[in-house]
């Protein structure tokens, strides 16, 4: 229901709803951050390095992929391309927010840009539509309290707790980031073509990695499989990412 | 094992820059989100492909600790764990549940001595 945004009671109601919507997302993001912190420690990153990545990049799927890339010997160019591919949907999120925020000062929009992600976008766009106008307080609440702070605190906790675990592999923690990459791949593969690209990439990458090196095998598998997938009709979506609002946002996963 | 120090700083900085551009460009320069359709489609497909390739290689291809010698194939509980994670996400749409299940599978297998 879209409100006119003209009354204080509408604003209070909308803000209360935003607070309620934020809580479970913040908990989920914090737990995910904890897992990232543990993973970062498992691959040898210090707590400061893990914190820096989480604060500056602030994109869970790309961060997990970066850990896997570093371990797998993928070079800087490959990591940057993967980051761009995984985070490209943020273009759509920002584009959807632009009409609501176009009248804000440029420096405020520049600052907001850092905090656009799945969860912050989903919370914000739902809040704006409920209110019928932009209320920047809502964006900052969703972005900082809903996602950024839990992500940072979770990362710190995980990175520091990792030091208390003498042998992470005995606890199964070494499978966290490959499992995170596999799970995120499934999340992103929402039609036949994307599923084909995903499934085809694995064997090609493994074979080329065995013949040559993982740093070559991984991008080769991805590029070859993606090009071949263009020959497949997209078809109906086979797996729906949980959405909030009409713009296909996927709350609960920090992108 | 991983990059540290200046190399990691370069990686983090590069990742942060490209991520910020993707997030902020439409807010700062309206119209920049209108990429050519084939490019948008390619980006949509290459992300799950790259992630799947990384996951598969990280659990099945072993490199010698000193980097010398050919890579070798290993099939173990780690492969089962990532397949389990993918299956749980496909069925339940919960990445956190998938990660917990994968970790528990690996830990249990090693505790029972059926995996190294």
């Amino acid at each position: 229901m879209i409100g006119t945004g003209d009354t204080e009671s509408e604003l209070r109601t909308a803000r209360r709803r935003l607070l309620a919507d934020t809580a479970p997302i913040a908990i989920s993001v914090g737990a995910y951050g904890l897992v990232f912190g543990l993973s970062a420690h498992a691959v040898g990153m210090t707590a400061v390095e893990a914190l820096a990545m989480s604060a500056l990049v602030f994109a869970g799927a790309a961060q997990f992929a970066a850990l896997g890339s570093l371990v797998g010997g993928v070079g800087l160019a490959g990591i940057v391309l993967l980051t761009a591919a995984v985070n490209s949907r943020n273009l759509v999120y920002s584009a959807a927010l632009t009409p609501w925020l176009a009248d804000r000062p440029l420096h405020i929009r520049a600052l907001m840009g850092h905090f656009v992600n799945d969860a912050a976008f989903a919370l914000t766009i739902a809040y704006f539509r409920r209110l019928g106008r932009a209320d920047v307080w809502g964006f900052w609440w969703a972005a900082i309290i809903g996602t950024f702070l839990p992500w940072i605190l979770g990362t710190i906790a995980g990175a520091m707790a990792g030091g208390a675990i003498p042998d992470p592999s005995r606890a199964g923690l070494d499978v966290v980031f490959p499992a995170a990459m596999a799970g995120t791949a499934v999340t992103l593969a929402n039609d036949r073509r994307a599923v084909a690209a995903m499934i085809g990439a694995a064997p090609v990458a493994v074979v080329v990695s065995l013949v040559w090196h993982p740093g070559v095998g991984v991008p080769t598998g991805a590029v070859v499989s993606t090009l071949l997938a263009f020959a497949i009709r997209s078809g109906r979506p086979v797996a729906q990412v949980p959405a909030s609002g009409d713009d296909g946002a996927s709350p609960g996963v920090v992108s | 094992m991983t990059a540290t120090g200046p190399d990691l700083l370069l990686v983090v900085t590069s990742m942060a820059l490209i991520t910020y551009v993707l997030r902020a460009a439409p807010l700062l320069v309206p119209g920049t989100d209108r990429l050519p359709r084939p490019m948008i489609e390619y980006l949509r497909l290459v992300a799950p492909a790259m992630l799947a390739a990384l996951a598969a290689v990280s659990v099945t291809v072993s490199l010698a600790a000193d980097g010398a010698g050919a890579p070798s194939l290993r099939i173990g509980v780690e492969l089962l764990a990532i397949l389990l994670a993918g299956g749980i996400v496909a069925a339940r749409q919960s990445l956190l549940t998938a990660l917990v299940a994968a970790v528990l599978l690996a830990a249990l297998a090693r505790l029972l001595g059926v995996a190294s």
Side-chain angles (χ1 to χ4, degrees):
Chain A
M1 178 178 178
I2 299 177
T4 61
D6 290 336
T7 66
E8 279 302 308
S9 68
E10 278 184 359
L11 181 63
R12 279 197 303 272
T13 301
R15 285 185 174 183
R16 270 199 299 272
R17 174 71 186 273
L18 177 62
L19 264 62
D21 289 345
T22 301
I25 287 179
I27 292 170
S28 174
V29 170
Y32 199 31
L34 179 75
V35 173
F36 174 75
L38 287 169
S39 303
H41 181 270
V43 301
M45 289 174 71
T46 65
V48 172
E49 289 169 339
L51 174 61
M53 181 178 272
S54 284
L56 296 175
V57 181
F58 186 34
Q63 289 177 228
F64 274 105
L67 294 185
S69 299
L70 290 167
V71 171
V74 177
L76 176 64
I79 293 175
V80 171
L81 285 172
L82 176 60
T83 300
V86 171
N87 289 337
S88 61
R89 63 185 183 277
N90 289 299
L91 269 175
V92 177
Y93 299 158
S94 277
L97 287 173
T98 295
W100 300 91
L101 302 170
D103 60 343
R104 306 298 154 171
L106 183 65
H107 68 282
I108 297 296
R109 282 182 278 137
L111 185 60
M112 286 176 158
H114 179 62
F115 297 98
V116 174
N117 58 50
D118 303 272
F121 168 74
L123 289 168
T124 300
I125 204 72
Y127 175 67
F128 287 174
R129 288 178 174 172
R130 204 176 296 133
L131 201 55
R133 63 176 174 84
D135 175 23
V136 176
W137 176 92
F139 173 86
W140 290 121
W141 178 267
I144 305 295
I145 304 300
T147 56
F148 188 72
L149 273 182
W151 181 244
I152 295 299
L153 294 175
T155 296
I156 294 173
M160 294 180 70
I165 302 173
D167 186 358
S169 65
R170 297 297 298 177
L173 293 177
D174 58 313
V175 303
V176 170
F177 57 82
M181 288 184 284
T184 305
V186 172
T187 301
L188 297 175
N190 60 357
D191 68 2
R192 273 205 299 264
R193 184 181 280 171
V195 170
M198 177 184 69
I199 292 176
V204 174
V206 171
V207 169
V208 176
S209 296
L210 289 171
V211 170
W212 201 334
H213 187 276
V216 177
V218 170
T220 301
V223 168
V224 169
S225 180
T226 299
L227 290 174
L228 290 174
F230 270 95
I232 297 173
R233 290 184 63 179
S234 179
R236 293 173 57 195
V238 297
Q240 294 292 336
V241 176
S244 174
D246 298 333
D247 301 273
S250 52
V253 176
V254 177
S255 69
Chain B
M1 176 271 313
T2 63
T4 56
D7 290 337
L8 184 61
L9 179 63
L10 183 60
V11 168
V12 171
T13 304
S14 303
M15 290 177 66
L17 275 173
I18 188 65
T19 301
Y20 180 77
V21 167
L22 290 168
R23 285 172 167 162
L27 284 170
L28 301 177
V29 187
T32 54
D33 59 296
R34 296 188 198 113
L35 296 172
R37 288 292 306 173
M39 184 179 294
I40 293 175
E41 184 66 359
Y42 185 83
L43 288 174
R44 187 180 74 84
L45 297 178
V46 80
M50 191 75 150
L51 290 169
L54 269 170
V57 169
S58 68
V59 300
T60 59
V61 179
S62 287
L63 297 172
D66 60 359
S72 60
L73 180 69
R74 84 167 182 275
I75 304 292
V77 69
E78 298 85 2
L79 179 60
L80 280 176
I82 69 166
L83 291 173
L84 175 65
I88 289 175
V89 172
R92 302 297 298 272
Q93 305 295 311
S94 173
L95 185 56
L96 194 58
T97 304
L99 296 184
V100 171
V103 168
L104 287 177
L105 175 65
L108 189 61
R110 288 164 184 162
L111 181 67
L112 294 176
V114 298
S116 58

